[in-house]
Structures are given as structure tokens and as C-alpha cells.
């Protein structure tokens, strides 16, 4: 329990909220659910409430949000999704009115394409949950005496409308279906998809089985079981993991990464809960098999990191999505409490840092995707952990969630999703799951038994927190419970194989138990990336140091090189100047070091690919517009991730070029009169790109061109190169900066030698020819920026693996790897031949290092193919090179157009 927050006070606050929900307190005293009345007042019968504009979201009348809108079917989604929540909140009269509205107004025969997954968990589950509590209330004799199973009849009608989606040879459902026309017919406008996510196909059994058990119609349960059986058979047999996306016709894995978050999450959840609800041993066997694999490969306490199903020791990414926050709650149901506490505490620390859980965050707890659509998974896990441990600390967590919702998300018409947790900006969105799950779990967290009109322990929660009665396990059993699971692996899990764990026996309500597990993690977000409790504890004591992370590696650091050797990783200097990393696990000092080396290699791969995807910019153009070129010579240039964005300035920047002194541009410019109001030419090397830009900007230049010093490099043979900043804020750089490979740079240098005055245009794309006929005299120059030296640059955690380099620091000894080729000699020789890396982290001590290792670097994204120095243009004959250059430019344009199409 946090200091100054006694359990009694936290519970008192929860009781105030409960009191208000019974009408005894004003809304502003506890931040109670005013969203449901707002939904009816401003949005009904629409599917969702738009809380900023106080109106309903009707599909087709609002701008499309892509796949997100597939949950909307013009069937009053939020009202159906919230039915059983009203009963949990003791709003029984409102529940009765809501059921009447659903029966009277909802139409399930709309000509609209919906997600099978979302419609199942939200609408079918909502109808079944509403029916479950309706018959319970009717049995109690006070409410719902008129009810005759109308919600169940609607659920059955909807179930039949979803069945056409299962018309595949595999039994896996199509991801979408038309409520009126089914699939494949011209009117259906769907049925051509080939892929679906694992969770989409594996999160059906609870609702479909419940529908079969309630109605006595077995077909629904049979279809859901067939889909689960197929997924089980298609698991990777060595790792026992499943991928994220699968082909519904062939069963081939389309995305072969595996985790417990988006795309897979509720598949694991439904295996365990299907055993609880249906009593079928095969579901528990499958869950235990998968769970063993999860804890063996994915769980890196307190982190849960995606891996490759065929090489589960390799992490597939360096960030986590918010949907995995459900997993601690599932671990509580499993009975594995320690890792549940660890992961939950890590997530809570992230929430305390950002107020909400970002949609995705990195392993060092920076925001990866900044949105937060008010997801309930963390509240769900908080509730289950409190039920398992009795630790009032989790009441404090719930109090924080409530306060953050009221302070940051509450708006006059409800609660608005966060567009960016860093800025606190809102999105005009309130998904139905917010009322269906978030309110339910937060209420139950603080509720005592006497606050409830029924015993919540008699029900199981679906993934949408809908309530299904446990007595369904003995009703209308249509499937044999005989163990038919194939190739089941016997696991050392005897405590949990055949019974639901009794947490009161296994983990008595001893708050100190959870507190002792949480303690090492309480400040984990403010420290470097954790590697489990043992690793965290080592970092505080005198034990071994945490392993070297890829983002921290510097080739100039002898200690880092020694650590690599210990991990079995060696550096090989190639002829073309690149450096190759090779790991031989057998050469590692120990098995733990070998594991660290494998993870280091994978981090290198992931960091590079991630940055390439996130920061790739389109090419720019340097166009020679002076006599005798007149715009006919256009050079492919690499962009900069700082300075003027040429794509937003149609006229570009035009000016005469001048060579800076010093040519490196790494110190104060000694010929400012020559570069003032001109575009400065500099050579690559010796300092950061951003420092060059600041120096010429201070001298009055209106733009800058950095020419590669690697003899023979050319845009003809090398991928696009882009310049990144120095890890600090680069907003002070206002001028445009472009990068030319050696071949293209020599064209400008040769033109200067031939004609002295050479004028160029820096732009996002080539302008019309004969530019001397146009009036393009507008130039911009801002000279108020100040110079920043590398010695002042702190160790930045914002890595740029595209080209965030302390370029080649030939004079200051700060070195980096411009390009790496990674080979794991003991893991099927994983060779990354065309993904080059640049790992940068500049320290003052690094700049002063005198015993560093010099690396002859290539451009960071340059191909491994060695370029022929004879490709330089001979300007003795000027007509042919220009035509050749123009032809090359056209080829480049066509190539980049093809790349853009591929990206789309």
C-alpha cells in the first residue's frame, strides 16, 4: 500500500462511488458512470457515442476509420454490450428498460459487413450475457417477470447469420460477413479475404458453446470447436506457439511472430475458460501446453515480448502492445501468481508515467503508439489480482485508474479516448467496451458481496466481460469430453492440470506476498530496460552487470568489445569497409552469456528494421539550374530528418553553391562571406550531420549539401541514405539539408571547376525544365541558431538506426558501425545482408577516448555490393553524361514509384 493511503480510505472512496450509483451521491463526488445515460440521451440508437460532439456514431455517416468500423453494424452496439453491466452496477430498472429497447428497436438483418470476431464478443456475447442475468433476475421474482427469452432468440438469429463465415475447408471463419447477404454473393461485398488473426478464429467457443447449451442447437458449438481444433493442429510443433495471422484456406502462418497481445490474446484466454465453462479436459491440456511455451520463450519478467514461432529464442520486436495487459488476470485464473504480479506492476509503472497505458510502448518504456482508447485490460487484471491476494495495494491502483479517467478522459458527454497520452489530446470516440468492461471491473474491484444482487462467482467472464453461468457445463452437452487431444506433451504442471486452482489455499490473502514480489520493480520504468527480477536485483548490488544492449553498443568502447567476446560475438572487418557481427554460441563464456549474445544479435536486427519502417523518408532532388544545365541535370539526394521539410515548400530552396571551410563543416565556418546566402557544400565525416547544419546556418547559408567521402558511392547502386539528428532537439535547424553520394556530388564539384558559378535547386522533386525562365527568387535564411558541439550531447535514448551516426569521427575517435551483417553461426546462420545498422550513443567520455578502434564506414543504408570507382562521370564530354544522368533519374523515379506501390 502506498504511503498515506490507508486501505480503509481507498475502500471508502470505492464505497462512495457505489453509493452514487445507487443514487445517494452527486456525480462529481466520485466520477461515477454518467456515460451510459449520455449514450441514451445523445446517441441512441447509434452504435457508439461520440463524446466530444455529443452525438451518435452511425457507420457510413462519419468518415471511415478502416477496420475499427467493422465492429459497427447499426444494431445499437453499445446498448447491447452494456446490458449485463447495468445489473452488475445494481441498475436493474435501467437494465429492464434497456432490454425492452433492444427487443423493440434492434435489427440484426442489416445490409452491412461486420467483423465476425467483434460481432461475436460484443453483440452475441452481450445478448447472451443479458439473457443470463435476465433469467437470474426473473428467478429472484422482482424484476423481468415478463421476460420470455427474447434476447436468446435474437442471439440465435445472430448466430445463424455468422455461420456462413465458417464455410471454409479449414473450418476457420472468414474475418467478415454481411449480416443480410452472408458471403461471396455480389450483394455481400465480402468473402474474398484469405487471412484472419488467431484470436479472431479462436475466440468463439464461449459464446457459441453457450448459445448451443442455452438453445439445444449443437451446430454453433461444433463450428467453434472445429476452428479451435484446426488452430491447435497448426501450432508450431517444436515451440508449441501459434502465429498472429493464418491463411483460412491453407492453414499456413502468414505472420509468424507470437506473443500474448494483439492478434493472439483471447485465443489463449478462451482455451482456459472453455475448460472452466464446459469442463472439457482437452482445452486445459492445450492451454497448459501453450502456457509452458509462453513462460519458456515469451515471458521475460516483467516483460512479455513477441518471438518467432520457429526460432522462439529470437525476439520479434522490441515493443509491447497494451492488449497484453489482460494476461496477468489470466495467470491468476491459471494460478501462476508471481509472474502476474510482476507484469502487472510493470504496467502500472508505465501508467503512472503516462497516466494511461499507451497502445504500444518499448522495452525501455517509451511511447511507441501514443493512443489509448480507454482499454479495460489492465483494470481486469487489477480486479483478479485483488481477488487472488486481498492486497489493498490493488485498491490503490483502482483508485488511480478512476482518478485518471475523471481528470483526463471525462468530458461533458461521457469519456473520450486519448489521442495521445503524451499531450492529453482527445479523440471523439468512446468504444462500447469501455462501458461493457471498464465500469464492470472497477465496480467489482471495490464491491463487497452485499453490494451485489447476485453471486458473481457463479459466472465466468468472456473476453468482453459478459457473464455466462457456470451451470452451462452440465446443460445440453452435445460433445464428448473424452480426451482426444493429439500429441499432448506431458508437462510438469501437476498442481493445475485437472482442477481450477483455489487461490484461497494456494495464495492466502497475505498482502506481504504480493508486496515482496512488487518491491524490486517499483522503479523499473525510471531505470534501463529490465531483464527480470534477478537482473534488476543484480544492478543494485555488487553482482554481475546487466548484459550489453544493442542500443548501448559502441565499437570504440574496449569494454563493449570484451563483452561481445564473452557472449561469443566477434567483429569481422570486410573489404568494403562494413563490419560483420558473427555469433558462435559455443565460444561464449557460459550458456547465459550465449543467451545474452543471441538476444544482442536479435536486438540489432529488430532495431534496424523498426527504424527503417518508422523513419524512411522519400528521396529529394538537387537540380542544377544555371547555364548550361537549365534544370536538365537532376541528382537523387537523400533527405534529412531535421531542418526544413522540402515536401512542404513547393518552390524549394534555390541558390548558388559554395564550398565551406573547413570542408568537413565540423567547426566554425572560416569563410562565412563565401557561404552567406548560398548553399554550402560539405564533406561527410568527423562530426554529426546536425552539427554541420548548425555551423553553416550560423554562417548565413540558406541550405546545405553533404557529399559522401566514400569514393565511388552512388545512388545507382546504394539504397536511399538519410541523415538523422544528434539525439537532441534539432528544431533550431531551419535550413534544408540533403545528402549526395560521391558520384552525384562530384558532378556538382566538376561543374564548379568548369563554370565557377553553379546554381542549384533543392526540392522534394524535380521542377519543370528551363527554370531560368521562371521567377524563383524567393530564398529563406534563418541565422539565429546557435552551435552545439558533440561534447554537449547527452546519451540519447532516442535511437535512429537509419543514419543516426556520429558520422565517421576520424579526428575525435568516436566511432560507430555504419553497416553490420549479422550471422548467428549456431542458429541456422541468420544472415542479414541488406539491412545495415548504425548504433549511436554519444558520451563526453566517448569523444575524449584515445584508444578507440577506427572503422572504415560505408553509408548506413548502402548495399553490400562493392561499387566500381570507374562509375565517376568524366566531365570532358559533358553532353553524354547529362543524358545518362537524366536517364538514371527517370529510372530512379520509376523505382521509387514501384516502392511506394509496394508499401501501399
Amino acid at each position: 500500500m502506498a504511503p498515506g493511503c490507508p486501505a480503509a480510505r481507498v475502500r471508502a472512496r470505492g464505497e462512495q462511488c457505489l453509493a452514487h450509483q445507487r443514487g445517494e451521491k452527486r456525480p462529481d463526488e466520485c466520477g461515477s458512470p454518467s456515460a451510459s445515460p449520455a449514450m441514451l440521451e445523445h446517441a441512441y440508437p447509434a452504435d457508439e457515442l461520440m463524446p466530444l460532439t455529443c452525438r451518435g456514431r452511425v457507420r457510413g455517416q462519419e468518415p471511415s476509420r478502416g477496420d475499427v468500423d467493422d465492429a459497427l453494424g447499426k444494431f445499437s452496439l453499445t446498448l447491447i454490450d452494456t446490458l449485463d453491466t447495468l445489473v452488475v452496477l445494481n441498475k436493474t430498472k435501467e437494465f429492464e428498460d434497456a432490454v425492452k429497447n433492444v427487443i423493440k428497436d434492434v435489427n440484426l438483418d442489416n445490409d452491412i459487413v461486420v467483423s465476425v470476431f467483434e460481432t461475436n464478443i460484443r453483440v452475441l456475447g452481450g445478448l447472451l450475457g443479458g439473457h443470463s442475468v435476465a433469467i437470474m433476475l426473473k428467478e429472484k421474482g422482482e424484476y423481468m417477470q415478463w421476460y420470455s427469452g427474447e434476447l436468446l432468440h435474437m442471439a440465435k438469429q445472430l448466430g445463424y447469420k455468422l455461420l456462413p463465415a465458417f464455410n471454409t475447408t479449414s473450418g476457420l471463419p472468414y474475418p467478415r460477413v454481411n449480416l443480410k447477404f452472408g458471403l461471396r454473393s455480389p450483394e455481400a461485398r465480402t468473402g474474398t479475404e484469405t487471412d484472419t488473426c488467431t484470436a479472431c478464429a479462436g475466440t468463439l467457443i464461449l459464446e457459441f458453446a453457450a448459445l448451443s447449451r442455452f438453445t439445444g442447437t449443437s451446430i454453433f458449438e461444433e463450428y467453434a470447436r472445429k476452428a479451435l481444433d484446426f488452430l491447435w493442429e497448426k501450432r508450431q510443433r517444436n515451440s508449441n506457439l501459434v502465429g498472429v495471422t493464418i491463411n483460412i484456406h491453407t492453414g499456413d502462418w502468414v505472420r509468424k511472430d507470437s506473443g500474448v497481445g494483439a492478434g493472439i490474446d483471447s485465443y489463449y484466454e478462451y482455451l482456459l475458460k472453455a475448460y472452466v465453462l464446459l469442463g472439457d479436459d482437452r482445452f486445459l491440456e492445450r492451454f497448459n501446453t501453450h502456457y509452458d511455451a509462453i513462460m519458456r520463450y515469451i515471458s521475460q519478467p516483467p516483460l512479455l515480448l513477441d518471438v518467432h514461432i520457429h526460432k522462439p529464442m529470437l525476439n520479434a520486436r522490441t515493443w509491447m502492445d497494451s492488449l497484453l495487459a489482460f494476461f496477468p488476470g489470466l495467470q491468476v485464473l491459471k494460478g501462476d501468481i508471481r509472474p502476474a504480479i510482476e507484469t502487472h506492476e510493470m504496467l502500472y509503472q508505465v501508467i503512472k508515467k503516462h497516466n494511461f497505458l499507451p497502445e504500444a510502448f518499448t522495452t525501455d518504456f517509451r511511447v511507441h503508439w501514443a493512443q489509448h482508447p480507454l482499454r479495460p485490460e489492465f483494470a481486469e487484471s487489477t480486479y483478479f489480482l485483488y481477488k487472488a491476494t486481498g492486497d489493498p495495494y490493488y485498491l490503490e491502483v483502482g483508485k488511480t485508474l478512476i482518478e485518471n479517467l475523471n481528470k483526463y478522459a471525462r468530458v461533458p458527454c461521457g469519456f473520450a479516448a486519448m489521442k495521445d497520452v503524451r499531450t492529453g489530446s482527445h479523440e471523439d470516440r468512446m468504444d462500447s467496451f469501455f462501458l461493457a468492461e471498464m465500469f464492470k471491473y472497477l465496480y467489482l474491484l471495490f464491491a463487497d458481496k452485499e453490494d451485489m444482487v447476485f453471486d458473481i462467482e457463479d459466472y465466468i467472464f468472456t473476453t468482453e466481460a459478459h457473464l455466462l453461468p457456470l451451470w452451462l457445463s452440465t446443460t445440453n452437452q452435445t460433445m464428448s469430453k473424452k480426451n482426444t487431444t493429439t500429441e499432448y506433451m506431458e508437462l510438469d504442471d501437476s498442481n493445475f492440470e485437472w482442477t481450477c486452482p483455489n487461490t484461497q489455499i494456494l495464495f492466502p490473502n497475505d498482502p506481504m506476498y504480493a508486496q515482496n514480489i512488487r518491491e524490486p520493480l517499483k522503479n523499473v520504468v525510471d531505470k534501463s530496460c529490465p531483464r527480470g527480477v534477478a537482473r534488476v536485483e543484480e544492478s543494485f548490488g555488487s553482482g554481475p552487470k546487466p548484459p550489453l544492449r544493442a542500443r548501448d553498443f559502441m565499437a570504440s568502447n574496449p569494454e563493449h568489445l570484451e563483452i561481445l567476446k564473452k557472449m561469443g560475438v566477434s567483429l569481422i572487418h570486410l573489404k568494403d569497409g562494413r563490419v560483420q557481427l558473427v555469433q558462435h554460441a559455443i565460444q561464449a563464456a557460459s550458456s547465459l552469456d550465449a543467451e545474452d549474445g543471441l538476444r544482442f544479435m536479435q536486438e540489432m536486427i529488430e532495431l534496424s528494421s523498426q527504424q527503417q519502417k518508422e523513419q524512411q523518408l522519400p528521396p529529394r532532388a538537387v537540380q542544377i539550374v544555371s547555364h548550361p544545365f537549365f534544370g536538365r541535370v537532376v541528382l537523387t539526394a537523400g533527405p534529412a530528418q531535421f531542418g526544413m521539410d522540402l515536401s512542404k515548400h513547393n518552390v524549394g530552396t534555390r541558390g548558388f553553391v559554395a564550398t565551406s571551410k573547413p570542408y568537413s563543416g565540423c567547426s566554425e565556418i572560416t569563410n562565412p562571406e563565401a557561404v552567406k546566402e548560398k548553399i554550402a557544400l560539405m564533406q561527410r565525416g568527423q562530426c554529426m550531420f546536425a552539427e554541420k547544419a548548425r555551423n553553416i546556418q550560423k554562417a548565413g547559408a540558406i541550405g546545405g549539401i553533404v557529399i559522401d567521402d566514400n569514393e565511388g558511392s552512388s545512388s545507382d547502386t546504394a539504397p536511399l541514405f538519410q541523415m538523422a539528428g544528434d539525439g537532441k532537439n534539432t528544431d533550431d535547424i531551419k535550413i534544408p539539408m540533403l545528402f549526395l553520394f560521391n558520384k552525384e556530388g562530384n558532378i556538382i564539384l566538376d561543374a564548379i571547376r568548369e563554370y565557377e558559378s553553379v546554381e542549384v535547386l533543392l526540392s522534394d522533386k524535380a521542377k519543370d525544365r528551363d527554370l531560368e525562365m521562371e521567377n524563383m527568387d524567393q530564398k529563406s535564411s534563418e541565422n539565429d541558431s546557435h552551435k552545439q558541439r558533440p561534447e554537449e550531447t547527452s546519451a540519447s535514448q532516442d535511437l535512429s538506426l537509419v543514419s543516426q551516426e556520429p558520422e565517421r569521427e576520424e579526428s575525435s575517435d568516436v566511432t560507430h558501425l555504419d553497416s553490420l551483417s549479422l550471422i548467428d553461426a549456431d542458429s541456422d546462420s541468420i544472415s542479414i545482408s541488406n539491412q545495415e545498422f548504425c548504433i549511436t550513443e554519444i558520451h563526453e567520455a566517448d569523444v575524449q577516448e584515445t584508444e578507440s578502434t577506427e572503422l572504415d564506414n560505408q553509408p548506413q543504408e548502402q548495399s553490400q555490393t562493392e561499387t566500381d570507382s570507374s562509375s565517376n562521370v568524366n566531365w570532358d564530354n559533358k553532353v553524354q553524361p547529362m543524358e545518362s544522368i537524366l536517364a538514371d533519374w527517370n529510372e530512379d523515379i520509376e523505382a521509387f514509384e514501384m516502392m511506394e506501390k509496394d508499401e501501399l
Side-chain angles (χ1 to χ4, degrees):
M1 174 59 62
C5 188
R9 187 187 308 169
V10 179
R11 179 166 291 282
R13 181 170 179 83
E15 290 172 349
Q16 288 177 5
C17 291
L18 299 180
H20 162 66
Q21 290 155 7
R22 292 191 292 264
E24 300 169 14
K25 295 285 183 181
R26 295 193 314 263
D28 57 353
E29 292 186 49
C30 66
S32 60
S34 61
S36 185
M39 172 68 197
L40 293 175
E41 178 182 352
H42 299 290
Y44 186 78
D47 283 319
E48 289 180 349
L49 168 69
M50 300 173 68
L52 297 182
T53 53
C54 297
R55 57 196 174 97
R57 183 182 298 278
V58 179
R59 191 169 173 184
Q61 297 181 11
E62 302 293 337
S64 173
R65 300 175 299 170
D67 292 347
V68 175
D69 283 340
D70 287 344
L72 311 182
K74 298 183 179 179
F75 36 34
S76 297
L77 172 64
T78 299
L79 184 62
I80 293 177
D81 212 4
T82 315
L83 287 176
D84 53 7
T85 299
L86 291 171
V87 178
V88 171
L89 298 179
N90 289 333
K91 300 285 186 177
T92 48
K93 178 61 171 65
E94 289 83 348
F95 168 74
E96 191 161 3
D97 294 339
V99 172
K100 292 178 180 178
N101 284 335
V102 170
I103 296 171
K104 175 172 62 77
D105 298 333
V106 171
N107 178 22
L108 298 174
D109 196 39
N110 299 313
D111 178 12
I112 193 167
V113 176
V114 297
S115 163
V116 173
F117 168 75
E118 297 289 356
T119 303
N120 172 67
I121 65 172
R122 300 202 207 188
V123 185
L124 182 59
L127 292 170
L128 293 172
H131 172 71
S132 298
V133 294
I135 59 178
M136 176 272 297
L137 291 174
K138 183 176 182 179
E139 290 176 359
K140 289 182 176 293
E142 184 177 355
Y143 294 97
M144 303 298 294
Q145 296 305 300
W146 54 270
Y147 182 70
S148 300
E150 290 85 352
L151 294 179
L152 180 60
H153 175 75
M154 295 178 68
K156 187 175 182 180
Q157 178 189 1
L158 180 60
Y160 278 121
K161 289 184 173 297
L162 296 180
L163 285 185
F166 292 83
N167 188 20
T168 62
T169 56
S170 66
L172 299 178
Y174 281 90
R176 299 173 185 85
V177 69
N178 187 298
L179 290 177
K180 187 177 184 68
F181 296 108
L183 289 172
R184 295 183 181 174
S185 67
E187 298 89 349
R189 305 184 304 282
T190 190
T192 59
E193 301 94 337
T194 58
D195 306 334
T196 192
C197 71
T198 299
C200 300
T203 312
L204 299 159
I205 187 63
L206 292 189
E207 291 83 1
F208 273 49
L211 182 58
S212 288
R213 301 295 175 95
F214 273 130
T215 63
T217 305
S218 64
I219 188 172
F220 304 109
E221 184 173 347
E222 291 170 0
Y223 275 46
R225 282 179 177 266
K226 183 179 179 181
L228 272 182
D229 290 344
F230 190 83
L231 289 174
W232 169 253
E233 291 299 324
K234 289 299 178 179
R235 75 193 185 282
Q236 211 290 322
R237 298 305 176 96
N238 293 324
S239 66
N240 282 317
L241 295 172
V242 292
V244 174
T245 309
I246 191 171
N247 186 296
I248 59 177
H249 303 297
T250 66
D252 295 332
W253 291 110
V254 179
R255 276 188 55 188
K256 300 177 183 180
D257 46 320
S258 183
V260 295
I264 302 180
D265 49 1
S266 48
Y267 163 70
Y268 293 134
E269 177 186 4
Y270 269 38
L271 284 178
L272 181 56
K273 290 184 176 180
Y275 165 68
V276 175
L277 180 66
L278 306 177
D280 190 332
D281 294 340
R282 80 191 80 183
F283 293 126
L284 182 61
E285 292 174 354
R286 295 176 185 179
F287 174 80
N288 282 338
T289 302
H290 284 314
Y291 188 77
D292 178 74
I294 291 170
M295 300 309 292
R296 187 186 304 271
Y297 304 119
I298 296 172
S299 177
Q300 301 174 34
L303 309 180
L304 292 164
L305 295 176
D306 285 18
V307 300
H308 299 279
I309 60 175
H310 295 96
K311 295 184 180 296
M313 294 302 294
L314 297 179
N315 291 337
R317 61 190 190 190
T318 59
W319 50 272
M320 296 167 280
D321 65 73
S322 62
L323 287 172
L324 61 76
F326 92 101
F327 198 67
L330 187 64
Q331 289 178 307
V332 170
L333 185 60
K334 160 72 176 174
D336 198 0
I337 202 78
R338 173 178 284 274
I341 294 171
E342 292 172 345
T343 299
H344 179 274
E345 181 62 20
M346 177 271 292
L347 295 170
Y348 184 43
Q349 297 299 325
V350 175
I351 288 174
K352 289 201 292 186
K353 181 176 182 178
H354 300 294
N355 298 320
F356 297 97
L357 196 61
E359 276 291 77
F361 54 93
T362 63
T363 52
D364 54 356
F365 310 111
R366 290 178 294 135
V367 173
H368 186 70
W369 296 334
Q371 306 94 324
H372 174 72
L374 307 182
R375 293 199 185 277
E377 285 77 15
F378 181 77
E380 173 186 359
S381 289
T382 303
Y383 164 67
F384 284 114
L385 274 169
Y386 179 65
K387 295 289 288 184
T389 65
D391 189 344
Y393 175 84
Y394 295 108
L395 296 178
E396 175 70 23
V397 174
K399 173 175 173 284
T400 299
L401 297 181
I402 292 174
E403 290 176 343
N404 287 351
L405 285 171
N406 281 316
K407 184 175 181 180
Y408 301 109
R410 191 166 186 168
V411 294
C413 289
F415 292 82
M418 306 304 297
K419 188 174 184 178
D420 192 318
V421 299
R422 297 165 297 190
T423 64
S425 57
H426 289 122
E427 189 175 354
D428 199 5
R429 170 183 180 184
M430 191 180 83
D431 290 87
S432 66
F433 54 67
F434 178 66
L435 295 178
E437 300 183 69
M438 182 72 84
F439 278 174
K440 191 176 293 175
Y441 286 124
L442 288 178
Y443 185 96
L444 290 171
L445 176 63
F446 292 101
D448 290 321
K449 280 193 174 182
E450 55 268 23
D451 297 313
M452 303 291 296
V453 297
F454 64 99
D455 189 353
I456 197 71
E457 303 295 339
D458 292 337
Y459 297 82
I460 191 169
F461 293 101
T462 69
T463 194
E464 192 76 3
H466 293 307
L467 301 174
L468 298 177
L470 293 175
W471 52 258
L472 287 175
S473 62
T474 59
T475 302
N476 291 327
Q477 296 185 36
T478 58
M479 306 294 292
S480 169
K481 290 197 298 180
K482 182 179 179 181
N483 183 0
T484 59
T485 296
T486 60
E487 297 186 33
Y488 171 65
M489 181 187 299
E490 290 295 333
L491 303 172
D492 184 16
D493 200 16
S494 56
N495 286 333
F496 312 121
E497 278 186 359
W498 306 110
T499 60
C500 296
N502 184 338
T503 57
Q504 293 297 320
I505 296 175
L506 291 172
F507 313 108
N509 286 348
D510 178 11
M512 291 303 298
Y513 175 80
Q515 181 177 336
N516 292 337
I517 298 173
R518 287 192 307 268
E519 189 64 25
L521 302 169
K522 64 180 181 180
N523 296 317
V524 69
V525 171
D526 296 324
K527 299 185 181 296
S528 60
C529 180
R531 286 176 53 82
V533 176
R535 291 289 191 186
V536 173
E537 290 172 345
E538 288 171 2
S539 65
F540 292 111
S542 58
K545 294 182 179 180
L548 178 65
R549 310 305 301 232
R551 68 174 184 274
D552 300 328
F553 174 67
M554 292 197 65
S556 62
N557 190 324
E559 182 181 354
H560 287 184
L561 297 177
E562 186 62 29
I563 294 175
L564 286 190
K565 182 178 180 182
K566 188 178 179 182
M567 295 190 298
V569 178
S570 57
L571 277 74
I572 301 176
H573 297 262
L574 303 179
K575 292 181 179 180
D576 56 8
R578 291 175 299 108
V579 173
Q580 187 179 68
L581 289 183
V582 182
Q583 189 205 24
H584 298 273
I586 195 172
Q587 296 179 4
S590 66
S591 59
L592 182 59
D593 290 315
E595 181 183 345
D596 290 339
L598 188 62
R599 185 166 290 131
F600 175 86
M601 300 283 282
Q602 176 57 24
E603 285 179 359
M604 282 289 201
I605 298 171
E606 172 61 24
L607 286 171
S608 174
S609 61
Q610 178 180 330
Q611 292 291 334
Q612 287 175 2
K613 292 177 182 177
E614 293 178 356
Q615 301 186 21
Q616 188 68 26
L617 298 173
R620 304 292 188 232
V622 175
Q623 195 167 6
I624 306 179
V625 298
S626 56
H627 174 81
F629 306 96
F630 301 138
R632 289 188 292 270
V633 175
V634 183
L635 308 175
T636 302
Q641 296 172 0
F642 54 86
M644 179 191 295
D645 185 353
L646 291 171
S647 65
K648 298 179 181 178
H649 294 76
N650 293 331
V651 297
T653 296
R654 179 171 175 168
F656 288 93
V657 296
T659 302
S660 67
K661 294 181 180 180
Y663 191 27
S664 67
C666 289
S667 60
E668 185 174 355
I669 303 301
T670 59
N671 62 333
E673 69 287 345
V675 301
K676 186 175 181 180
E677 296 298 323
K678 295 182 180 179
I679 296 174
L681 300 179
M682 297 158 287
Q683 187 179 49
R684 180 186 182 194
Q686 301 185 28
C687 67
M688 305 292 287
F689 291 124
E691 184 180 358
K692 296 175 186 289
R694 291 188 178 102
N695 287 337
I696 63 170
Q697 179 176 270
K698 184 178 180 181
I702 60 173
I705 297 175
V706 177
I707 299 176
D708 190 18
D709 62 342
N710 178 34
E711 188 70 25
S713 65
S714 169
S715 63
D716 296 336
T717 56
L720 182 68
F721 182 89
Q722 50 185 316
M723 301 180 288
D726 54 5
K728 298 182 67 175
N729 191 320
T730 55
D731 291 344
D732 60 308
I733 301 175
K734 307 297 183 183
I735 62 174
M737 293 286 292
L738 294 181
F739 177 89
L740 289 178
F741 282 114
N742 187 263
K743 173 185 173 182
E744 288 76 15
N746 280 335
I747 293 175
I748 293 182
L749 295 176
D750 288 342
I752 293 175
R753 285 190 286 269
E754 181 76 16
Y755 301 104
E756 294 185 1
S757 295
V758 175
E759 190 177 15
V760 301
L761 173 67
L762 312 183
S763 60
D764 64 327
K765 58 184 178 181
K767 306 301 180 184
D768 292 339
R769 311 302 187 193
D770 298 325
L771 291 178
E772 80 285 357
M773 304 290 294
E774 301 179 10
N775 181 16
M776 298 181 60
D777 295 331
Q778 296 182 353
K779 296 180 175 67
S780 61
S781 176
E782 297 189 30
N783 305 321
D784 57 350
S785 62
H786 62 279
K787 175 180 175 184
Q788 296 184 15
R789 300 196 57 79
E791 289 83 358
E792 300 170 354
T793 306
S794 62
S796 170
Q797 295 300 318
D798 297 325
L799 300 178
S800 175
L801 295 169
V802 177
S803 177
Q804 182 168 324
E805 54 174 11
E807 291 188 66
R808 276 186 296 155
E809 305 248 352
E810 296 170 351
S811 62
S812 63
D813 293 334
V814 177
T815 63
H816 74 290
L817 301 183
D818 253 332
S819 60
L820 298 177
S821 177
L822 306 185
I823 298 180
D824 177 5
D826 298 290
S827 185
D828 297 337
S829 295
I830 303 169
S831 179
I832 309 301
S833 59
N834 290 320
Q835 294 187 6
E836 282 79 37
F837 303 76
C838 171
I839 310 301
T840 301
E841 190 171 71
I842 308 301
H843 299 265
E844 182 174 352
D846 296 329
V847 178
Q848 298 171 351
E849 180 66 56
T850 58
E851 298 180 359
S852 60
T853 303
E854 288 290 323
L855 297 179
D856 185 13
N857 300 303
Q858 296 284 341
Q860 180 209 343
E861 288 193 40
Q862 188 168 332
S863 169
Q864 289 189 10
T865 305
E866 295 188 27
T867 58
D868 189 350
S869 61
S870 64
S871 61
N872 290 332
V873 175
N874 183 353
W875 274 88
D876 292 337
N877 184 352
K878 299 181 179 56
V879 178
Q880 181 61 32
M882 280 189 285
E883 294 177 354
S884 175
I885 293 166
L886 291 175
D888 291 344
W889 172 254
N890 289 330
E891 291 178 3
D892 290 340
I893 291 295
E894 293 175 1
F896 284 119
E897 287 177 349
M898 289 300 298
M899 289 170 60
E900 290 177 356
K901 290 179 180 179
D902 291 342
E903 286 295 323
L904 293 174

